[in-house]
Amino acid sequence: MTMRQSFRTRAGRRNCKVGRPATVAPLACSETMAGAATLRNGRVATALVAAVFVAAVFAGGAWWFASRGLATAEGLARHGLWQEVHQPLARYLWLHPSDARANLLAAEALVKDDSVPLGRRITDSLACLARIPNTSPNAVDARIAEARVELFLRYEPMTASRSLERAIDLEPVSLEAHMLLWKLLELTGRAEETEEAFWQCYELSAEQQRPLRLREWFVSQFFPLTSTAELDRLMGFRGAASDPGAAVERRRLQRFRLAEPQEPVPHAALAELFLRENEPELAFEVLDEAAGQIPQAAQTNPFILGVVVETLLELGEVEPAQETFNRWPEPRAGRRYWMVRGRVLQEAADDPSGAAEAYREAIAIWPGEIDWRAINRLAGCLARAGETDAAARERERVQQIQEQIPQERLQALLDSLGAPADPQVAAAMASFYRELGREREASGWEAVAWTAIGDR
Protein backbone atom coordinates (compact mmCIF):
# COMPACT_ATOMS: atom_id res chain seq x y z
CA MET A 1 0.00 0.00 0.00
CA THR A 2 1.35 3.29 -0.99
CA MET A 3 1.56 6.29 1.35
CA ARG A 4 -1.24 8.06 -0.55
CA GLN A 5 -3.50 4.96 -0.31
CA SER A 6 -2.77 4.62 3.38
CA PHE A 7 -3.70 8.30 3.95
CA ARG A 8 -6.98 7.84 2.08
CA THR A 9 -7.84 4.71 4.09
CA ARG A 10 -7.23 6.42 7.40
CA ALA A 11 -9.18 9.47 6.29
CA GLY A 12 -12.05 7.25 5.17
CA ARG A 13 -12.12 5.49 8.51
CA ARG A 14 -12.17 8.74 10.43
CA ASN A 15 -14.98 10.21 8.43
CA CYS A 16 -17.26 7.12 8.17
CA LYS A 17 -19.57 5.82 10.85
CA VAL A 18 -18.59 2.58 12.63
CA GLY A 19 -20.09 -0.45 11.01
CA ARG A 20 -21.01 1.25 7.70
CA PRO A 21 -19.56 -0.49 4.65
CA ALA A 22 -16.52 1.10 3.21
CA THR A 23 -18.25 1.63 -0.12
CA VAL A 24 -20.41 4.45 1.27
CA ALA A 25 -17.52 6.44 2.67
CA PRO A 26 -16.98 8.62 -0.44
CA LEU A 27 -20.70 9.62 -0.53
CA ALA A 28 -20.76 10.65 3.10
CA CYS A 29 -17.63 12.67 2.59
CA SER A 30 -19.16 14.45 -0.38
CA GLU A 31 -22.28 15.42 1.58
CA THR A 32 -20.15 16.83 4.32
CA MET A 33 -18.12 18.93 1.90
CA ALA A 34 -21.28 20.16 0.12
CA GLY A 35 -22.73 21.25 3.44
CA ALA A 36 -19.63 23.22 4.23
CA ALA A 37 -19.76 24.89 0.82
CA THR A 38 -23.41 25.75 1.30
CA LEU A 39 -22.61 27.29 4.64
CA ARG A 40 -19.83 29.33 3.11
CA ASN A 41 -22.06 30.45 0.22
CA GLY A 42 -24.76 31.42 2.67
CA ARG A 43 -22.35 33.57 4.58
CA VAL A 44 -21.21 35.26 1.35
CA ALA A 45 -24.80 35.85 0.28
CA THR A 46 -25.63 37.30 3.69
CA ALA A 47 -22.63 39.60 3.45
CA LEU A 48 -23.65 40.67 -0.04
CA VAL A 49 -27.20 41.36 1.05
CA ALA A 50 -25.90 43.35 3.98
CA ALA A 51 -23.58 45.32 1.70
CA VAL A 52 -26.40 46.04 -0.75
CA PHE A 53 -28.64 47.08 2.13
CA VAL A 54 -25.97 49.42 3.50
CA ALA A 55 -25.37 50.85 0.01
CA ALA A 56 -29.09 51.35 -0.49
CA VAL A 57 -29.41 53.04 2.88
CA PHE A 58 -26.40 55.22 2.08
CA ALA A 59 -27.72 56.05 -1.39
CA GLY A 60 -31.13 56.82 0.03
CA GLY A 61 -29.57 59.02 2.67
CA ALA A 62 -27.45 60.76 0.06
CA TRP A 63 -30.51 61.27 -2.15
CA TRP A 64 -32.50 62.65 0.78
CA PHE A 65 -29.57 64.87 1.78
CA ALA A 66 -29.24 66.19 -1.77
CA SER A 67 -33.00 66.63 -2.22
CA ARG A 68 -33.09 68.75 0.92
CA GLY A 69 -30.52 71.08 -0.64
CA LEU A 70 -33.06 73.53 -2.05
CA ALA A 71 -34.87 73.97 1.26
CA THR A 72 -31.54 74.39 3.05
CA ALA A 73 -30.34 76.94 0.49
CA GLU A 74 -33.57 78.91 0.68
CA GLY A 75 -33.25 79.08 4.45
CA LEU A 76 -29.70 80.37 4.17
CA ALA A 77 -30.74 82.90 1.53
CA ARG A 78 -33.42 84.32 3.81
CA HIS A 79 -30.62 85.23 6.21
CA GLY A 80 -28.41 86.67 3.45
CA LEU A 81 -25.76 83.93 3.83
CA TRP A 82 -24.99 83.87 0.13
CA GLN A 83 -21.60 82.16 0.39
CA GLU A 84 -23.26 79.23 2.15
CA VAL A 85 -26.01 78.84 -0.44
CA HIS A 86 -23.86 77.40 -3.24
CA GLN A 87 -23.05 73.96 -1.75
CA PRO A 88 -26.57 72.74 -0.87
CA LEU A 89 -27.88 74.12 -4.17
CA ALA A 90 -25.15 72.28 -6.09
CA ARG A 91 -26.27 69.01 -4.43
CA TYR A 92 -29.88 69.69 -5.35
CA LEU A 93 -29.12 70.74 -8.93
CA TRP A 94 -27.08 67.53 -9.37
CA LEU A 95 -30.38 65.69 -8.94
CA HIS A 96 -32.62 68.30 -10.60
CA PRO A 97 -30.51 70.30 -13.09
CA SER A 98 -33.55 71.89 -14.78
CA ASP A 99 -35.40 72.99 -11.66
CA ALA A 100 -36.35 76.63 -12.35
CA ARG A 101 -36.64 77.73 -8.72
CA ALA A 102 -33.25 76.29 -7.86
CA ASN A 103 -31.59 77.86 -10.90
CA LEU A 104 -33.08 81.26 -10.06
CA LEU A 105 -31.74 81.02 -6.53
CA ALA A 106 -28.34 79.83 -7.76
CA ALA A 107 -28.10 82.84 -10.07
CA GLU A 108 -29.11 85.21 -7.28
CA ALA A 109 -26.55 83.73 -4.90
CA LEU A 110 -23.79 84.14 -7.48
CA VAL A 111 -24.72 87.76 -8.15
CA LYS A 112 -24.85 88.64 -4.46
CA ASP A 113 -21.73 86.77 -3.33
CA ASP A 114 -18.85 89.24 -3.64
CA SER A 115 -16.33 86.51 -2.76
CA VAL A 116 -16.87 84.90 -6.19
CA PRO A 117 -14.76 86.44 -9.00
CA LEU A 118 -16.84 88.80 -11.12
CA GLY A 119 -16.31 86.91 -14.37
CA ARG A 120 -17.58 83.70 -12.83
CA ARG A 121 -20.51 85.47 -11.20
CA ILE A 122 -21.60 86.73 -14.61
CA THR A 123 -21.09 83.58 -16.70
CA ASP A 124 -22.36 81.09 -14.14
CA SER A 125 -25.44 83.11 -13.20
CA LEU A 126 -26.39 83.57 -16.88
CA ALA A 127 -25.84 79.84 -17.43
CA CYS A 128 -28.25 79.07 -14.58
CA LEU A 129 -30.86 81.44 -16.00
CA ALA A 130 -30.46 80.06 -19.53
CA ARG A 131 -31.64 76.68 -18.21
CA ILE A 132 -35.07 78.23 -17.55
CA PRO A 133 -37.03 78.16 -20.83
CA ASN A 134 -39.72 80.65 -21.81
CA THR A 135 -42.30 77.90 -21.25
CA SER A 136 -41.49 77.77 -17.53
CA PRO A 137 -43.76 79.48 -14.96
CA ASN A 138 -40.55 81.19 -13.76
CA ALA A 139 -39.60 82.45 -17.23
CA VAL A 140 -40.48 86.12 -16.60
CA ASP A 141 -38.38 86.20 -13.41
CA ALA A 142 -35.51 84.55 -15.30
CA ARG A 143 -35.57 87.06 -18.16
CA ILE A 144 -35.68 89.99 -15.74
CA ALA A 145 -32.80 88.47 -13.78
CA GLU A 146 -30.83 88.13 -17.04
CA ALA A 147 -31.46 91.80 -17.79
CA ARG A 148 -30.15 92.80 -14.36
CA VAL A 149 -26.94 90.80 -14.82
CA GLU A 150 -26.47 92.16 -18.35
CA LEU A 151 -27.04 95.77 -17.29
CA PHE A 152 -25.52 96.03 -13.82
CA LEU A 153 -22.63 93.55 -14.10
CA ARG A 154 -21.81 93.39 -17.82
CA TYR A 155 -22.77 97.01 -18.61
CA GLU A 156 -24.67 95.91 -21.72
CA PRO A 157 -27.89 97.97 -21.71
CA MET A 158 -29.06 97.01 -25.19
CA THR A 159 -28.69 93.29 -24.51
CA ALA A 160 -30.56 93.88 -21.26
CA SER A 161 -33.34 95.72 -23.11
CA ARG A 162 -33.90 92.67 -25.32
CA SER A 163 -34.20 90.45 -22.25
CA LEU A 164 -36.75 92.89 -20.81
CA GLU A 165 -38.71 92.90 -24.05
CA ARG A 166 -38.91 89.09 -23.87
CA ALA A 167 -40.14 89.37 -20.28
CA ILE A 168 -42.81 91.88 -21.27
CA ASP A 169 -43.88 89.69 -24.21
CA LEU A 170 -44.38 86.84 -21.75
CA GLU A 171 -46.13 89.00 -19.15
CA PRO A 172 -47.27 92.42 -20.42
CA VAL A 173 -48.36 93.44 -16.90
CA SER A 174 -44.95 92.86 -15.27
CA LEU A 175 -44.35 96.04 -13.26
CA GLU A 176 -40.75 95.05 -12.52
CA ALA A 177 -39.91 94.65 -16.21
CA HIS A 178 -41.49 97.99 -17.14
CA MET A 179 -39.75 99.77 -14.25
CA LEU A 180 -36.35 98.45 -15.27
CA LEU A 181 -36.97 99.38 -18.91
CA TRP A 182 -37.84 102.93 -17.81
CA LYS A 183 -34.54 103.18 -15.88
CA LEU A 184 -32.60 101.70 -18.77
CA LEU A 185 -33.89 104.42 -21.10
CA GLU A 186 -32.72 107.06 -18.61
CA LEU A 187 -29.30 105.46 -18.24
CA THR A 188 -28.78 105.48 -22.02
CA GLY A 189 -29.54 109.18 -22.50
CA ARG A 190 -33.15 108.74 -23.62
CA ALA A 191 -35.05 110.32 -20.72
CA GLU A 192 -37.17 112.28 -23.22
CA GLU A 193 -38.50 108.97 -24.57
CA THR A 194 -39.75 107.58 -21.26
CA GLU A 195 -43.31 108.91 -21.08
CA GLU A 196 -44.93 105.72 -22.38
CA ALA A 197 -42.83 103.59 -20.02
CA PHE A 198 -43.76 105.81 -17.08
CA TRP A 199 -47.52 105.60 -17.68
CA GLN A 200 -47.25 101.83 -18.04
CA CYS A 201 -45.57 101.70 -14.63
CA TYR A 202 -48.10 104.10 -13.13
CA GLU A 203 -51.11 102.09 -14.33
CA LEU A 204 -49.59 98.81 -13.14
CA SER A 205 -48.75 100.17 -9.68
CA ALA A 206 -51.02 99.65 -6.69
CA GLU A 207 -52.80 102.77 -5.46
CA GLN A 208 -50.48 103.18 -2.46
CA GLN A 209 -47.46 103.08 -4.80
CA ARG A 210 -48.70 105.74 -7.22
CA PRO A 211 -47.38 108.73 -5.23
CA LEU A 212 -43.92 107.17 -5.52
CA ARG A 213 -44.35 106.71 -9.29
CA LEU A 214 -45.41 110.34 -9.70
CA ARG A 215 -42.42 111.49 -7.66
CA GLU A 216 -40.05 109.35 -9.76
CA TRP A 217 -41.56 110.83 -12.93
CA PHE A 218 -41.01 114.40 -11.73
CA VAL A 219 -37.40 113.66 -10.76
CA SER A 220 -36.61 111.87 -14.01
CA GLN A 221 -37.84 114.78 -16.11
CA PHE A 222 -36.54 117.75 -14.14
CA PHE A 223 -33.51 116.23 -12.33
CA PRO A 224 -32.35 113.38 -14.60
CA LEU A 225 -28.95 112.96 -12.97
CA THR A 226 -30.58 112.77 -9.54
CA SER A 227 -32.94 110.12 -10.91
CA THR A 228 -30.02 107.85 -11.86
CA ALA A 229 -27.69 108.83 -8.98
CA GLU A 230 -28.15 105.68 -6.90
CA LEU A 231 -27.71 103.36 -9.88
CA ASP A 232 -24.63 105.33 -10.95
CA ARG A 233 -23.19 104.83 -7.48
CA LEU A 234 -23.94 101.09 -7.42
CA MET A 235 -22.46 100.62 -10.89
CA GLY A 236 -19.29 102.50 -9.99
CA PHE A 237 -19.80 105.60 -12.12
CA ARG A 238 -20.27 107.98 -9.18
CA GLY A 239 -17.52 107.88 -6.58
CA ALA A 240 -18.85 110.69 -4.39
CA ALA A 241 -22.03 112.74 -4.16
CA SER A 242 -20.02 115.79 -5.18
CA ASP A 243 -18.95 114.30 -8.53
CA PRO A 244 -20.08 116.59 -11.39
CA GLY A 245 -23.14 115.16 -13.10
CA ALA A 246 -21.74 115.50 -16.60
CA ALA A 247 -18.59 113.59 -15.62
CA VAL A 248 -20.67 110.78 -14.14
CA GLU A 249 -22.79 110.59 -17.29
CA ARG A 250 -19.69 110.54 -19.51
CA ARG A 251 -18.18 107.65 -17.52
CA ARG A 252 -21.43 105.70 -17.74
CA LEU A 253 -21.97 106.17 -21.46
CA GLN A 254 -18.34 105.48 -22.30
CA ARG A 255 -18.51 102.21 -20.32
CA PHE A 256 -21.66 101.18 -22.16
CA ARG A 257 -20.03 102.07 -25.47
CA LEU A 258 -16.98 99.92 -24.73
CA ALA A 259 -19.14 97.00 -23.62
CA GLU A 260 -21.38 97.06 -26.71
CA PRO A 261 -19.39 98.64 -29.57
CA GLN A 262 -21.74 97.15 -32.18
CA GLU A 263 -24.80 98.89 -30.72
CA PRO A 264 -25.70 102.37 -32.04
CA VAL A 265 -27.43 103.75 -28.94
CA PRO A 266 -24.43 104.06 -26.55
CA HIS A 267 -22.38 105.82 -29.26
CA ALA A 268 -25.25 108.20 -30.03
CA ALA A 269 -25.86 108.95 -26.35
CA LEU A 270 -22.23 109.90 -25.75
CA ALA A 271 -22.11 112.04 -28.90
CA GLU A 272 -25.33 113.80 -27.88
CA LEU A 273 -23.79 114.55 -24.48
CA PHE A 274 -20.88 116.26 -26.22
CA LEU A 275 -23.37 118.27 -28.30
CA ARG A 276 -25.08 119.47 -25.12
CA GLU A 277 -21.66 120.55 -23.86
CA ASN A 278 -21.07 122.53 -27.09
CA GLU A 279 -18.31 120.20 -28.29
CA PRO A 280 -19.48 119.06 -31.74
CA GLU A 281 -15.93 118.09 -32.77
CA LEU A 282 -15.81 115.49 -29.97
CA ALA A 283 -19.29 114.32 -30.93
CA PHE A 284 -18.11 113.86 -34.52
CA GLU A 285 -15.08 111.83 -33.37
CA VAL A 286 -17.34 109.48 -31.43
CA LEU A 287 -19.67 109.05 -34.39
CA ASP A 288 -16.80 108.61 -36.86
CA GLU A 289 -15.35 105.83 -34.73
CA ALA A 290 -18.79 104.26 -34.32
CA ALA A 291 -19.26 104.07 -38.11
CA GLY A 292 -16.54 101.42 -38.29
CA GLN A 293 -18.05 99.34 -35.46
CA ILE A 294 -21.81 99.42 -36.00
CA PRO A 295 -23.27 96.99 -38.57
CA GLN A 296 -24.64 98.71 -41.66
CA ALA A 297 -28.22 97.70 -40.90
CA ALA A 298 -28.05 99.34 -37.45
CA GLN A 299 -26.77 102.66 -38.78
CA THR A 300 -30.33 103.72 -39.63
CA ASN A 301 -31.34 103.64 -35.96
CA PRO A 302 -33.31 106.92 -35.50
CA PHE A 303 -31.40 107.90 -32.36
CA ILE A 304 -27.98 107.81 -33.97
CA LEU A 305 -29.23 109.23 -37.27
CA GLY A 306 -30.65 112.24 -35.45
CA VAL A 307 -27.42 112.82 -33.54
CA VAL A 308 -25.37 112.53 -36.74
CA VAL A 309 -27.58 115.09 -38.50
CA GLU A 310 -27.42 117.54 -35.59
CA THR A 311 -23.64 117.13 -35.30
CA LEU A 312 -23.17 117.84 -39.00
CA LEU A 313 -25.41 120.91 -38.75
CA GLU A 314 -23.41 122.19 -35.77
CA LEU A 315 -20.25 121.80 -37.85
CA GLY A 316 -21.81 123.64 -40.82
CA GLU A 317 -21.97 120.51 -43.00
CA VAL A 318 -25.48 121.17 -44.30
CA GLU A 319 -25.45 119.00 -47.43
CA PRO A 320 -24.19 115.82 -45.68
CA ALA A 321 -26.72 116.57 -42.92
CA GLN A 322 -29.60 116.64 -45.40
CA GLU A 323 -28.37 113.48 -47.15
CA THR A 324 -28.18 111.68 -43.82
CA PHE A 325 -31.65 112.84 -42.81
CA ASN A 326 -33.07 111.47 -46.06
CA ARG A 327 -32.10 107.96 -44.86
CA TRP A 328 -34.49 108.21 -41.88
CA PRO A 329 -36.47 104.95 -41.68
CA GLU A 330 -40.23 104.53 -41.37
CA PRO A 331 -42.19 105.37 -39.36
CA ARG A 332 -41.13 108.99 -39.59
CA ALA A 333 -42.67 110.16 -36.36
CA GLY A 334 -41.86 111.02 -32.77
CA ARG A 335 -40.38 114.05 -31.09
CA ARG A 336 -36.80 113.31 -32.18
CA TYR A 337 -37.80 113.03 -35.83
CA TRP A 338 -39.75 116.30 -35.84
CA MET A 339 -36.98 118.21 -34.07
CA VAL A 340 -34.34 117.02 -36.53
CA ARG A 341 -36.65 117.65 -39.49
CA GLY A 342 -37.22 121.18 -38.24
CA ARG A 343 -33.50 121.86 -38.04
CA VAL A 344 -32.86 120.43 -41.53
CA LEU A 345 -35.62 122.54 -43.06
CA GLN A 346 -34.49 125.62 -41.14
CA GLU A 347 -30.73 125.37 -41.66
CA ALA A 348 -30.17 123.21 -44.74
CA ALA A 349 -33.28 123.74 -46.91
CA ASP A 350 -34.02 127.37 -45.99
CA ASP A 351 -37.70 126.53 -45.53
CA PRO A 352 -38.84 128.46 -42.42
CA SER A 353 -42.53 127.66 -42.87
CA GLY A 354 -41.87 123.91 -43.19
CA ALA A 355 -39.49 124.09 -40.22
CA ALA A 356 -42.15 125.87 -38.14
CA GLU A 357 -44.65 123.09 -38.82
CA ALA A 358 -42.07 120.46 -37.81
CA TYR A 359 -41.28 122.31 -34.57
CA ARG A 360 -44.99 122.53 -33.74
CA GLU A 361 -45.22 118.73 -34.06
CA ALA A 362 -42.19 118.30 -31.81
CA ILE A 363 -43.46 120.75 -29.19
CA ALA A 364 -46.76 118.87 -28.95
CA ILE A 365 -44.89 115.79 -27.63
CA TRP A 366 -43.61 115.82 -24.05
CA PRO A 367 -41.33 117.42 -22.96
CA GLY A 368 -41.89 119.81 -25.86
CA GLU A 369 -44.41 121.77 -23.82
CA ILE A 370 -41.58 123.05 -21.60
CA ASP A 371 -38.76 123.00 -24.16
CA TRP A 372 -38.29 126.76 -24.44
CA ARG A 373 -35.31 126.29 -26.80
CA ALA A 374 -37.53 124.49 -29.32
CA ILE A 375 -40.22 127.15 -28.90
CA ASN A 376 -37.61 129.84 -29.53
CA ARG A 377 -36.67 128.04 -32.77
CA LEU A 378 -40.33 128.01 -33.74
CA ALA A 379 -40.60 131.74 -33.03
CA GLY A 380 -37.53 132.45 -35.17
CA CYS A 381 -38.93 130.45 -38.11
CA LEU A 382 -42.29 132.19 -37.85
CA ALA A 383 -40.59 135.58 -37.89
CA ARG A 384 -38.59 134.64 -41.00
CA ALA A 385 -41.77 133.42 -42.68
CA GLY A 386 -43.39 136.81 -42.03
CA GLU A 387 -45.74 135.63 -39.27
CA THR A 388 -44.72 138.28 -36.79
CA ASP A 389 -47.78 138.08 -34.53
CA ALA A 390 -47.46 134.32 -34.18
CA ALA A 391 -43.73 134.71 -33.47
CA ALA A 392 -44.50 137.24 -30.72
CA ARG A 393 -46.98 134.84 -29.11
CA GLU A 394 -44.39 132.08 -29.03
CA ARG A 395 -41.82 134.38 -27.43
CA GLU A 396 -44.37 135.27 -24.76
CA ARG A 397 -44.87 131.56 -24.25
CA VAL A 398 -41.15 131.11 -23.69
CA GLN A 399 -41.17 133.81 -21.04
CA GLN A 400 -44.17 132.22 -19.34
CA ILE A 401 -42.47 128.82 -19.21
CA GLN A 402 -39.33 130.31 -17.74
CA GLU A 403 -41.43 131.99 -15.06
CA GLN A 404 -43.32 128.76 -14.31
CA ILE A 405 -40.30 126.54 -13.84
CA PRO A 406 -37.46 128.55 -12.36
CA GLN A 407 -34.80 126.35 -10.79
CA GLU A 408 -35.70 127.60 -7.31
CA ARG A 409 -39.27 126.38 -7.66
CA LEU A 410 -38.21 123.02 -9.06
CA GLN A 411 -35.77 122.53 -6.19
CA ALA A 412 -38.44 123.45 -3.61
CA LEU A 413 -40.82 120.90 -5.13
CA LEU A 414 -38.10 118.26 -5.12
CA ASP A 415 -37.33 118.94 -1.45
CA SER A 416 -41.02 118.55 -0.55
CA LEU A 417 -41.29 115.18 -2.28
CA GLY A 418 -39.77 113.38 0.65
CA ALA A 419 -43.43 112.95 1.65
CA PRO A 420 -45.27 112.57 -1.68
CA ALA A 421 -48.47 111.33 -0.03
CA ASP A 422 -48.84 114.49 2.08
CA PRO A 423 -52.03 116.21 0.83
CA GLN A 424 -50.42 119.66 0.79
CA VAL A 425 -47.46 118.38 -1.22
CA ALA A 426 -49.79 116.55 -3.61
CA ALA A 427 -51.92 119.68 -4.05
CA ALA A 428 -48.84 121.78 -4.85
CA MET A 429 -47.70 119.21 -7.42
CA ALA A 430 -51.16 119.16 -9.01
CA SER A 431 -51.09 122.95 -9.31
CA PHE A 432 -47.61 122.83 -10.87
CA TYR A 433 -48.61 120.37 -13.59
CA ARG A 434 -51.87 122.14 -14.31
CA GLU A 435 -49.94 125.35 -14.99
CA LEU A 436 -47.90 123.40 -17.54
CA GLY A 437 -51.04 122.08 -19.19
CA ARG A 438 -50.33 118.50 -18.08
CA GLU A 439 -53.78 117.36 -16.98
CA ARG A 440 -52.95 113.69 -16.58
CA GLU A 441 -50.20 114.32 -14.00
CA ALA A 442 -52.35 116.97 -12.30
CA SER A 443 -55.22 114.48 -11.94
CA GLY A 444 -52.85 111.88 -10.55
CA TRP A 445 -51.60 114.24 -7.86
CA GLU A 446 -55.14 115.37 -7.04
CA ALA A 447 -56.10 111.73 -6.50
CA VAL A 448 -53.18 111.40 -4.08
CA ALA A 449 -54.34 114.46 -2.17
CA TRP A 450 -57.96 113.26 -1.91
CA THR A 451 -56.86 109.78 -0.82
CA ALA A 452 -54.64 111.23 1.89
CA ILE A 453 -57.44 113.47 3.16
CA GLY A 454 -59.88 110.54 3.17
CA ASP A 455 -57.48 108.39 5.19
CA ARG A 456 -57.29 110.98 7.98
Side-chain angles (χ1 to χ4, degrees), residues 273-318:
L273 172 62
F274 285 132
L275 284 183
R276 292 201 309 269
E277 295 180 334
N278 296 315
E279 297 188 90
E281 294 83 3
L282 288 178
F284 184 82
E285 285 184 22
V286 169
L287 296 169
D288 189 47
E289 183 179 343
Q293 298 176 305
I294 303 171
Q296 193 69 32
Q299 292 185 20
T300 56
N301 176 283
F303 186 12
I304 197 164
L305 266 184
V307 176
V308 170
V309 172
E310 292 198 278
T311 301
L312 291 170
L313 289 173
E314 289 292 330
L315 294 172
E317 302 287 342
V318 292

Side-chain angles (χ1 to χ4, degrees), residues 43-373:
R43 288 172 179 167
V44 170
T46 300
L48 285 172
V49 169
V52 169
F53 176 76
V54 170
V57 169
F58 180 80
W63 182 90
W64 179 86
F65 183 58
S67 66
R68 290 288 302 162
L70 179 57
T72 302
E74 288 176 333
L76 293 166
R78 281 194 293 273
H79 294 283
L81 301 174
W82 299 110
Q83 291 185 30
E84 311 300 324
V85 168
H86 307 303
Q87 190 172 356
L89 264 186
R91 294 196 306 264
Y92 182 84
L93 285 168
W94 179 73
L95 287 175
H96 309 284
S98 300
D99 187 284
R101 204 171 88 194
N103 277 297
L104 271 174
L105 183 55
E108 183 181 8
L110 285 160
V111 168
K112 293 183 176 178
D113 183 2
D114 292 338
S115 69
V116 178
L118 179 60
R120 187 185 149 206
R121 289 162 66 193
I122 294 170
T123 56
D124 289 7
S125 62
L126 289 175
C128 290
L129 296 169
R131 289 196 284 268
I132 303 173
N134 286 340
T135 54
S136 167
N138 300 95
V140 174
D141 292 334
R143 303 296 82 84
I144 293 172
E146 283 174 348
R148 290 186 176 279
V149 173
E150 290 155 353
L151 176 59
F152 299 128
L153 295 183
R154 282 173 57 169
Y155 302 104
E156 295 181 357
M158 306 317 296
T159 304
S161 71
R162 288 188 281 273
S163 295
L164 289 174
E165 286 163 7
R166 286 193 291 273
I168 292 169
D169 286 342
L170 292 167
E171 188 178 325
V173 294
S174 171
L175 175 59
E176 186 179 3
H178 284 289
M179 285 289 293
L180 191 52
L181 186 59
W182 176 10
K183 284 297 167 188
L184 192 149
L185 287 168
E186 290 183 341
L187 289 168
T188 50
R190 294 175 290 169
E192 289 191 355
E193 300 174 21
T194 60
E195 184 176 10
E196 182 180 352
F198 158 68
W199 287 116
Q200 284 275 7
C201 295
Y202 178 82
E203 295 296 337
L204 292 172
S205 295
E207 185 176 340
Q208 63 269 25
Q209 293 178 319
R210 288 184 172 182
L212 300 177
R213 297 292 92 82
L214 289 166
R215 177 178 68 183
E216 290 160 358
W217 175 235
F218 172 81
V219 175
S220 78
Q221 296 302 290
F222 294 99
F223 297 90
L225 292 175
T226 299
S227 181
T228 60
E230 182 59 17
L231 289 178
D232 283 327
R233 185 188 66 79
L234 291 173
M235 297 172 76
F237 304 129
R238 181 182 292 277
S242 59
D243 284 359
V248 173
E249 193 174 7
R250 275 197 302 274
R251 285 195 286 268
R252 183 206 314 141
L253 296 175
Q254 178 67 357
R255 185 66 182 83
F256 289 165
R257 180 170 171 256
L258 292 172
E260 292 185 305
Q262 77 288 355
E263 297 285 353
V265 168
H267 294 286
L270 183 61
E272 188 173 58
L273 172 62
F274 285 132
L275 284 183
R276 292 201 309 269
E277 295 180 334
N278 296 315
E279 297 188 90
E281 294 83 3
L282 288 178
F284 184 82
E285 285 184 22
V286 169
L287 296 169
D288 189 47
E289 183 179 343
Q293 298 176 305
I294 303 171
Q296 193 69 32
Q299 292 185 20
T300 56
N301 176 283
F303 186 12
I304 197 164
L305 266 184
V307 176
V308 170
V309 172
E310 292 198 278
T311 301
L312 291 170
L313 289 173
E314 289 292 330
L315 294 172
E317 302 287 342
V318 292
E319 289 184 11
Q322 187 154 20
E323 290 171 3
T324 303
F325 177 73
N326 291 338
R327 300 204 305 269
W328 200 285
E330 296 291 345
R332 295 188 168 189
R335 174 172 158 77
R336 186 176 298 276
Y337 168 76
W338 291 113
M339 281 297 298
V340 175
R341 176 179 172 83
R343 287 200 64 180
V344 169
L345 292 173
Q346 179 185 5
E347 300 175 40
D350 193 23
D351 181 0
S353 296
E357 289 305 312
Y359 287 135
R360 281 198 176 98
E361 294 284 350
I363 290 164
I365 302 169
W366 180 262
E369 296 98 319
I370 59 169
D371 186 355
W372 57 267
R373 293 179 180 84

